[in-house]
Amino acid sequence: MTKNDHDQNDEGQKFIELSQNSSPEIEFKNGTKEVKLFDENLENQNSDFIYQEGGWGWIVVLCSGFSLGILIGMINNYSLLLNEMERVYNQTENHVVYTAWIGSLSTGVQYIFCSFGSIATDFFGPRKPGIFGGLVSGASLALCVYIDDLWLYFLTYGVLYGIGQAFLLTSTLAILPHYFNKRISLANGIMNLIGSIVVVLLPVFTSKLIDNHGLKTTFLFLSVLNFITMFMAMTYKPMIPVLIHKKKMHKLKSSFGLEVLKKPQFIVFCVASFFGMLGYLIPIVNIDHHSIKVFPNDKPFYINVVFGAASGFAALVFGKIGDHTKFHRVHYHTLVFIVYGIVQLTIPMARCFNELLIQLAILGLMDGVLLCFIVPISCDLAQSPKLANHAAGYYHFFISLPSIAGPAIAGIIYSKFNFYDYAFYFGSVTSFIGAAILIIFITFFECIEKKKKSFLIEKSIDSTDLNKS
């Protein structure tokens, strides 16, 4: 008998033993073959799963990087669309408020539906929700080409596009752990690098198209890019074992991950983020309009390029630093809110366009820090890798309303005063509130945990002394 035959016999014996101890069904997908095993504990089974650490996974990294670039780039890119929509529909009453509201509604709906995207990813794996998200995103932007009424953008760009982006986002964030474990930081770094390149280039092409061909052609171009993400998602072949419950209702209940809402530190994180995000998108969505009014001779798309480049750089650098952090990683978001508050206070004080670019570069760095720590912080506060995906989904749900409201409030302030200064002051105050909540309450919970640990250590030492005596 050869060594290979002996190994195959061992694997067959293991399959028989696992089948005899049957409980929930687990489905391994290995190439084109499907092998069904049975085990009582999914986590134990996942520990036996062999990650590819490369191979087709690198194709997935490239495709997910492009999708991530479109996801982030479209949020940053909307400020250019806002300027053109404000010009085209300048005869519409409250057009400044409505155009700002359309972009913030899209982001807010995306965050709301991230929870549903997480559930869909649990049910169907990352590929199907990703394809669905890319299809809906591309179709909604294609519909924008045929729209003449500003109100209809609320449906197409605001709601439908937001839904599509939510499903694409959750599947894109969920796919890399199917292929990488030891090399997950490298894979994530490459994905962010590719995404950063797309984020930097997207406003350049968008600005050229708006200047030379107008709004409709620009929407057609963006529609094609989003349809491409549908094909990128086709590469998201799920590899990790999938738990198949015999009772669908039990599977549905477990997919909601409600246990994470019982974690007090996670709730504090979400409440702080609610206030912090209320003003977070104001310098992202409304900044180009502010730039045109204050510095009319300078091209606003440079702001998007600088912001996107700084965000991508920070995501790469801090993503690696975060693995070696000694303090609680939630305080990276505390740092973001503090710096955001300070910089927003100074934006109205910018005396030239270059000063504004420096301010946006700092905000871009903070944006990269915030984005790269959402999932790690969610995992830390959920206290379980299994709940990390759900925690990130609920986090996005919490910040959906302030993400919608912030830029709309800025538009209302502009309509009343004809400048954005008070809007930036408002965003600064909300950022400081979010930072204060994190500092006070997370520190409070950390002190309680330290006292519990010291108490348990003392109790263990006392019991050891008693046993010796």
Side-chain angles (χ1 to χ4, degrees), residues 208-379:
K208 293 291 184 183
L209 282 169
I210 288 175
D211 291 342
N212 298 325
H213 301 284
L215 189 62
K216 303 295 184 182
T217 303
T218 304
F219 273 124
L220 183 61
F221 167 73
L222 296 175
S223 172
V224 172
L225 290 182
N226 278 268
F227 274 127
I228 292 174
T229 63
M230 178 180 68
F231 296 102
M232 298 294 103
M234 290 181 181
T235 66
Y236 296 179
K237 183 179 180 181
M239 300 297 290
I240 288 179
V242 179
L243 182 65
I244 304 175
H245 291 277
K246 294 180 180 178
K247 293 182 179 180
K248 294 292 182 182
M249 287 303 297
H250 186 271
K251 182 177 182 180
L252 179 62
K253 185 178 179 181
S254 66
S255 294
F256 279 100
L258 296 176
E259 297 91 343
V260 74
L261 298 178
K262 300 176 183 178
K263 311 289 184 181
Q265 291 191 58
F266 177 73
I267 297 300
V268 168
F269 173 58
C270 290
V271 172
S273 299
F274 178 92
F275 286 99
M277 295 300 291
L278 193 56
Y280 188 85
L281 288 180
I282 291 175
I284 296 177
V285 173
N286 304 90
I287 193 65
D288 282 7
H289 194 227
H290 167 76
S291 174
I292 286 176
K293 299 301 179 183
V294 179
F295 306 110
N297 297 324
D298 295 290
K299 292 286 186 180
F301 82 89
Y302 288 115
I303 293 174
N304 302 75
V305 172
V306 168
F307 185 91
S311 178
F313 173 78
L316 287 172
V317 174
F318 280 88
K320 199 66 178 175
I321 294 174
D323 294 335
H324 308 287
T325 300
K326 302 291 183 182
F327 55 87
H328 203 309
R329 287 190 286 194
V330 74
H331 291 306
Y332 280 109
H333 277 207
T334 306
L335 172 68
V336 169
F337 292 146
I338 291 173
V339 175
Y340 240 81
I342 295 171
V343 173
Q344 284 205 70
L345 274 177
T346 64
I347 285 177
M349 304 175 191
R351 294 166 296 179
C352 64
F353 187 69
N354 287 337
E355 288 184 7
L356 185 64
L357 287 180
I358 293 172
Q359 291 167 333
L360 267 294
I362 297 171
L363 292 183
L365 291 172
M366 293 301 101
D367 183 67
V369 174
L370 182 134
L371 291 175
C372 75
F373 281 105
I374 289 174
V375 174
I377 291 172
S378 299
C379 186

Side-chain angles (χ1 to χ4, degrees), residues 127-139:
R127 179 157 53 184
K128 290 180 181 178
I131 294 172
F132 172 78
L135 177 62
V136 173
S137 298

Side-chain angles (χ1 to χ4, degrees), residues 15-33:
F15 174 83
I16 294 170
E17 291 173 359
L18 288 169
S19 300
Q20 290 171 346
N21 297 325
S22 63
S23 185
E25 188 176 15
I26 296 176
E27 187 173 324
F28 282 87
K29 296 196 174 181
N30 183 13
T32 57
K33 298 178 182 179

Side-chain angles (χ1 to χ4, degrees), residues 70-191:
I70 295 298
L71 285 160
I72 298 173
M74 286 296 293
I75 295 175
N76 300 343
N77 206 43
Y78 182 74
S79 55
L80 294 171
L81 298 176
L82 183 149
N83 289 335
E84 183 64 11
M85 291 169 71
E86 192 268 339
R87 186 190 66 80
V88 172
Y89 296 99
N90 61 357
Q91 300 301 318
T92 304
E93 187 179 359
N94 294 324
H95 62 282
V96 176
V97 179
Y98 294 153
T99 50
W101 201 357
I102 289 166
S104 60
L105 178 63
S106 176
T107 304
V109 169
Q110 176 182 336
Y111 291 160
I112 290 172
F113 277 83
C114 274
S115 299
F116 298 100
S118 297
I119 295 169
T121 301
D122 279 353
F123 262 81
F124 307 108
R127 179 157 53 184
K128 290 180 181 178
I131 294 172
F132 172 78
L135 177 62
V136 173
S137 298
S140 61
L141 291 178
L143 289 174
C144 291
V145 177
Y146 303 99
I147 287 177
D148 294 318
D149 189 343
L150 182 62
W151 280 97
L152 289 176
Y153 285 107
F154 281 96
L155 175 62
T156 54
Y157 196 99
V159 177
L160 291 178
Y161 185 68
I163 292 172
Q165 292 287 275
F167 282 87
L168 181 62
L169 175 63
T170 51
S171 61
T172 299
L173 294 179
I175 188 58
L176 288 190
H178 283 253
Y179 290 87
F180 299 92
N181 183 25
K182 294 179 180 178
R183 306 173 79 178
I184 186 68
S185 295
L186 174 63
N188 191 62
I190 295 173
M191 180 183 74

